[in-house]
Amino acid sequence: MAHRAVAAEAGPRQTWAALPWLVRTAVVWSACLVVIAAGLYLLARITLLVTPLAIALAATFFLAALLDPVQLALRRLRLPASLAALLTVLLLLGILGGLGVLVWNLTANQFSELGDELQQGLGRTRDFITSTLPVTDQQLDGLIDQLRKTATEQEVDPVASARTLTEVFGSALLALVLLFFLIKDGRAMWHWTLRRMTGPNREVAAEAGRVGWRTLGSYTRGTMLIAAIDAIGIGLALVLLGVPLAFPLALITFIGGFVPIIGATVAGAVAVLVALAANGPTTALLTLAAVIAVQQIEGNLLEPLVMKRQVRLHPVVILLAVTAGTLIAGIAGAFVAVPIAAVAWRVIDSVLRQRQAAAAPRPAPPAPEEPSATADPAPG
């Protein structure tokens, strides 16, 4: 009986040892990938259940990292923490409100003229398409009618729209409240968390937190600067070319700059389409050339100078992060996916480096030198 038990126990081990090393490696990695995929799926499902809260938290950390230098400057003036946090939040609201008023004042007069310009531009675009492409007027009219019919058939659920609007307003209000408390007590809360840790985990967590916060701040401020430069360059080009609604298009370019690769492409396409509809194909081609020139200067010259090397991610990682964020939380997920990926990568890299440094063998202290036989004797 004992012999049979030993044989049964050794059977699976012998079978595993008899497998080729390539098969064993594939089995281990497959199991690890299954566990990681299950964890990510569970995390995504939980995020979907609390999407407004997740978006509010992400926006809070994003804005807190962006406004942290303002809060520190106010604290250097010996202002109380509560007053400094309140002034920082009010400054943010003032900037957003000022931009809204400025956009309205600069574009309110253009909307009345934009309808006629778009009508004339659409006529010129129609003539250009039918004269250069193998498309007849009847085929183009049929396509336009089909698109119009598809758009009108889309039913709008007022209950769903009201619920979405309520969630957006609630998330924005929650983000502002959380932003105030995070700016006021964020460092105290982080130190309280570190004091609850013991041993080497405290140093690892402290360094990972510093690296993650520094990465988030560098990413947000660098992205905002690059987006502002893109918006100014493309906005000036639109003004020089006489494209209507140049300032709102520049603002769309600025907002799109926070979604790398995809946001800039969509914003540039919107500017080209408006130029095509309003002023015709020639202005649209010049607008396209200006958009490509500005984006090339930004991608090849400004981004390496503004964004630190440890903040930048590979384009493949950016595309995967933006796609995953869009699938999980829509447009808001696309905005926060890349900074979350950058911070997660830097935190994981910091933890791995500290673990490797702790596991590395320390050099042995040098042995004391023995007196040489030929050395001079010590004075007596």
Side-chain angles (χ1 to χ4, degrees):
M1 295 292 293
H3 178 71
R4 291 182 180 179
V6 172
E9 182 180 356
R13 297 180 181 179
Q14 292 178 352
T15 303
W16 175 258
L19 292 175
W21 68 269
L22 184 60
V23 175
R24 286 181 290 174
T25 303
V27 170
V28 172
W29 278 104
S30 299
C32 293
L33 290 177
V34 169
V35 173
I36 293 174
L40 292 177
Y41 176 77
L42 181 61
L43 181 62
R45 296 294 299 178
I46 296 175
T47 304
L48 285 176
L49 295 176
V50 293
T51 299
L53 177 60
I55 294 175
L57 286 175
T60 300
F61 281 100
F62 193 84
L63 293 174
L66 180 64
L67 299 172
D68 191 51
V70 178
Q71 182 264 151
L72 292 177
L74 293 176
R75 291 289 289 162
R76 292 191 190 99
L77 299 177
R78 299 186 181 278
L79 293 179
S82 301
L83 183 58
L86 180 60
L87 291 177
T88 304
V89 175
L90 291 178
L91 176 63
L92 174 65
L93 294 177
I95 292 175
L96 294 178
L99 283 177
V101 173
L102 183 61
V103 170
W104 176 257
N105 291 334
L106 291 177
T107 59
N109 296 329
Q110 297 183 12
F111 279 109
S112 59
E113 303 174 358
L114 185 61
D116 297 335
E117 292 181 357
L118 289 178
Q119 190 67 28
Q120 297 174 4
L122 290 175
R124 291 192 297 267
T125 305
R126 178 190 181 93
D127 296 337
F128 175 77
I129 292 175
T130 55
S131 61
T132 56
L133 298 178
V135 179
T136 62
D137 292 335
Q138 292 77 12
Q139 292 175 341
L140 191 59
D141 291 336
L143 179 61
I144 294 174
D145 292 338
Q146 183 66 29
L147 292 176
R148 186 182 296 111
K149 182 179 178 181
T150 302
T152 54
E153 287 178 353
Q154 298 293 329
E155 296 182 358
V156 178
D157 188 359
V159 177
S161 301
R163 184 178 59 186
T164 302
L165 185 61
T166 304
E167 290 180 355
V168 171
F169 180 77
S171 298
L173 184 60
L174 178 61
L176 287 176
V177 176
L178 292 177
L179 178 63
F180 171 79
F181 286 108
L182 185 60
I183 293 175
K184 175 179 174 291
D185 301 322
R187 285 177 170 81
M189 289 188 290
W190 176 244
H191 292 156
W192 180 87
T193 303
L194 290 178
R195 286 195 297 269
R196 298 303 181 271
M197 298 182 181
T198 57
N201 292 330
R202 176 184 296 179
E203 296 298 328
V204 173
E207 180 62 22
R210 284 192 292 267
V211 169
W213 186 251
R214 201 160 47 236
T215 300
L216 183 59
S218 300
Y219 179 88
T220 52
R221 290 186 287 272
T223 302
M224 187 182 68
L225 180 59
I226 292 174
I229 295 174
D230 281 351
I232 292 172
I234 294 177
L236 288 176
L238 295 176
V239 170
L240 294 176
L241 293 174
V243 178
L245 301 178
F247 192 84
L249 291 175
L251 185 60
I252 292 174
T253 303
F254 175 75
I255 296 174
F258 287 90
V259 183
I261 300 176
I262 298 177
T265 303
V266 173
V270 172
V272 172
L273 288 176
V274 173
L276 176 64
N279 295 351
T282 303
T283 305
L285 291 176
L286 293 176
T287 303
L288 178 62
V291 169
I292 293 175
V294 171
Q295 291 182 356
Q296 289 299 314
I297 293 173
E298 172 260 314
N300 297 322
L301 179 61
L302 295 177
E303 186 174 357
L305 294 176
V306 175
M307 302 290 282
K308 297 180 180 180
R309 181 175 299 274
Q310 62 266 25
V311 177
R312 288 184 292 165
L313 298 174
H314 194 275
V316 174
V317 178
I318 292 176
L319 288 174
L320 291 177
V322 171
T323 303
T326 305
L327 293 176
I328 293 174
I331 298 177
F335 275 94
V336 302
V338 177
I340 289 176
V343 172
W345 165 247
R346 289 297 299 156
V347 168
I348 294 173
D349 182 66
S350 173
V351 173
L352 292 179
R353 287 177 183 273
Q354 292 185 76
R355 294 281 176 84
Q356 292 175 358
R362 298 182 179 180
E369 297 182 357
E370 297 181 357
S372 175
T374 61
D376 295 334

